[in-house]
Amino acid sequence: MTEGEFDAALDDALALANGAVPAGVRHDAASGPYGAGRASGAGDAYAANGPYDVWGETPDPAHARGTAPDTPPGTGSPADPGNTSGTGSTPPAGTPSPAAPRTPDPAPVAPCPWHTARAIARRAAPGPLPPETAPLGEALGRTLAAPLAALTDLPSFDTSAMDGWAVSGPGPWHLDHPGDAPGILAGHVPTAPLADGHAIAIATGARVPAGATAVLRSEHGEVREMTDGRTRLYALRPASPGQDIRPRGQECRSGDQLLASGALVTPAVLGLAAAAGYDELTTYPRPRVDVLVLGDELLRHGLPHEGRIRDALGPMLGPWLQALGAEAAAPRHLADDPDTLYEAIAGSRADVVITTGGTAGGPVDHVHPTLHRLGSEVLVDGVEVRPGHPMLLARITPHRHLVGLPGNPLAAVSGLLTLAEPLLRTLSARRAPAPYRTPLWSSVHGHPRDTRLVPVSYRDDDRYGLMAEPLHFHGPAMLRGIAAADALAVIPPGGGDRGTEVDLLELPWPADWSPPGATPPYGPSGGAG
């Protein structure tokens, strides 16, 4: 796709998200839930498959609904008649929940292509959160909002690089403070210059005295008692001028720029900042995220029983969001109740609200109606991707967003990397990772129209080098494949053969080990998630 075609597709997707119908897009209810907005007849075969389609996910008549408010922007919304922003507002604490508006459902709109959805998510926020000053201990994982310039020379004085002796001039040297005297230690300031022809013991990191021309390592020197009662130091190897002395300003001079604005604050950056004289840094804060786990069927402890299953997303999403640069609160588990969901979203003060489940239009799927009650602007309502096509992205207020993830675990991961990651990257001012492509180890079946995200593990090959091996257990409800994966391969419609290069979404942790005797979930990826 050319840049012009991509921009046109993005403009069309934004028009659809706001309730407009771009030229050339036909809304055809007869083509079924996946036919809306597609080319004529494109969705007929899949609409006829009954309650589950051949790709293992439930067709969702609601996920393609537009959610444009019934009143135009600037005239209020059903949830907030006084709102003039067109994006809803948060009611004061204790305000009764307004009843759901009894209005016809908006006309169906087509799901976004996967690349378009990610572009919309990246542009959904106007920019990063306002910068703030943070102590070094709180800056890890943030992004620098200002260049890091040295506040001092590094090192700030001539420093010994080794344990040994500071020497002046050629040897042998008269040894000052012989015997058990410690010499010059780190943190101590020499009291007098070192005279020519003299030496004094010195420790690594100690300040080199004035007059010293080199440091002789302890293993390269020999101390001898002379007949006149004096002690002399002899070099077993020559000590050239400047040897093992770290000169002042060797690493940087005061005022030198060490890192540009936008650099990620890693542990090494914290160390550099401390060495350069900083107690705090000006950074973009981590976006605050509230995670709402929906479902009466979910258990938080013990084994599944009586039709109820363990919640897999609550334990997973917080650490994953943290790795993406967010500050995630402990997940909240909510019952399948529309008023409970409304109060939770309306009362949240987080920059991003993430919900799990409730996006597919079933009898207890309340995310769409709740967003409609809030007067939210839905930016993405379904994505042409497997697994996870019923995901959505909404703007609750001009500076607060909601990402609706499907309830199936791997489908939720797909939504997290498709919509949440680009949005959080913008809010935290993190740089986009460099595009990375690698050939497939084995062929992967593709969806006829949609992108597939398939867990892969890296393998070496004599011909192709590093390759991506598709893993088993990649269904929408499975986590076994992604738990052993190094990345997700982006498989275009139609699939790919062995050796076909595909884009990769790398995961922020390695999966380079397995328990002894375990069989890795390698193998051809025959089905689709």
Side-chain angles (χ1 to χ4, degrees):
M1 178 182 291
T2 66
E3 183 176 353
E5 291 171 335
F6 178 80
D7 289 340
L10 180 57
D11 291 341
D12 285 352
L14 290 169
L16 288 169
N18 288 283
V21 180
V25 176
R26 184 169 75 92
H27 293 274
D28 185 358
S31 66
Y34 294 105
R38 299 184 186 274
S40 177
D44 295 349
Y46 294 92
N49 284 325
Y52 293 92
D53 71 12
V54 295
W55 301 101
E57 298 189 64
T58 309
D60 176 12
H63 90 274
R65 290 199 304 260
T67 55
D70 298 302
T71 52
T75 59
S77 69
D80 180 9
N83 173 40
T84 58
S85 69
T87 56
S89 63
T90 302
T95 302
S97 302
R102 296 182 179 179
T103 54
D105 285 341
V109 297
C112 288
W114 183 75
H115 289 284
T116 304
R118 282 177 57 82
I120 293 173
R122 187 179 71 251
R123 301 180 186 181
L129 298 171
E132 62 184 28
T133 300
L136 291 185
E138 299 176 10
L140 183 65
R142 297 188 179 195
T143 303
L144 291 179
L148 187 72
L151 302 180
T152 181
D153 296 343
L154 284 182
S156 54
F157 46 80
D158 290 352
T159 306
S160 175
M162 302 294 294
D163 290 337
W165 299 270
V167 299
S168 179
W173 303 272
H174 295 289
L175 189 60
D176 296 343
H177 307 295
D180 296 332
I184 304 173
L185 302 179
H188 294 186
V189 178
T191 57
L194 189 63
D196 185 41
H198 284 249
I200 188 170
I202 193 168
T204 302
R207 184 168 184 164
V208 174
T213 56
V215 168
L216 180 68
R217 299 184 185 189
S218 56
E219 63 268 27
H220 294 168
E222 182 181 71
V223 177
R224 299 177 187 173
E225 296 290 340
M226 310 305 295
T227 56
D228 59 4
R230 303 180 68 180
T231 304
R232 289 199 177 187
L233 173 67
Y234 287 82
L236 303 179
R237 293 185 183 181
S240 57
Q243 178 176 300
D244 288 323
I245 293 178
R246 297 189 184 116
R248 177 175 180 167
Q250 181 184 47
E251 187 170 0
C252 66
R253 289 290 184 180
S254 180
D256 286 353
Q257 180 172 309
L258 306 177
L259 293 170
S261 177
L264 184 66
V265 179
T266 64
V269 171
L270 291 178
L272 175 63
Y278 286 85
D279 297 317
E280 55 189 19
L281 294 173
T282 301
T283 61
Y284 296 104
R286 288 175 173 263
R288 296 167 301 164
V289 179
D290 280 344
V291 178
L292 307 179
V293 180
L294 314 181
D296 292 334
E297 76 281 11
L298 299 177
L299 296 168
R300 299 172 64 182
H301 306 284
L303 296 175
H305 61 85
E306 297 177 355
R308 303 184 68 190
I309 60 174
R310 279 294 298 272
D311 166 36
L313 296 181
M316 178 176 69
L317 289 179
W320 206 314
L321 290 164
Q322 192 82 6
L324 294 179
E327 195 68 51
R332 294 176 56 191
H333 293 75
L334 303 183
D336 286 320
D337 175 72
D339 289 332
T340 300
L341 179 60
Y342 175 89
E343 295 291 349
I345 296 175
S348 172
R349 295 297 180 267
D351 303 298
V352 178
V353 175
I354 290 184
T355 61
T356 68
T359 60
V364 292
D365 291 342
H366 303 302
V367 174
H368 281 95
T370 300
L371 291 173
H372 195 49
R373 290 170 67 181
L374 289 165
S376 303
E377 178 187 4
V378 176
L379 305 177
V380 175
D381 199 358
V383 178
E384 294 173 348
V385 65
R386 306 300 173 107
H389 64 277
M391 67 183 72
L392 63 86
L393 170 65
R395 183 180 290 126
I396 306 171
T397 71
H399 299 284
R400 294 177 58 239
H401 294 79
L402 179 141
V403 176
L405 304 179
N408 279 325
L410 188 57
V413 170
S414 174
L416 189 70
L417 297 182
T418 299
L419 298 178
E421 187 272 335
L423 172 63
L424 293 171
R425 187 173 0 112
T426 295
L427 290 172
S428 60
R430 286 197 171 195
R431 296 170 181 164
Y436 189 72
R437 294 174 63 84
T438 195
L440 289 170
W441 174 268
S442 57
S443 62
V444 179
H445 294 175
H447 189 278
R449 299 178 307 273
D450 294 352
T451 299
R452 286 190 63 207
L453 301 181
V454 176
V456 294
S457 181
Y458 294 140
R459 292 190 64 171
D460 286 321
D461 179 79
D462 292 339
R463 176 182 177 186
Y464 291 102
L466 187 69
M467 302 186 75
E469 180 173 16
L471 304 180
H472 285 312
F473 310 110
H474 47 71
M478 297 180 180
L479 286 174
R480 186 173 172 183
I482 192 67
D486 295 307
L488 285 171
V490 182
I491 307 299
D497 297 327
R498 173 178 165 83
T500 301
E501 285 198 348
V502 295
D503 292 325
L504 293 181
L505 297 176
E506 290 196 305
L507 305 179
W509 50 80
D512 55 358
W513 68 276
S514 59
T519 301
Y522 297 154
S525 181

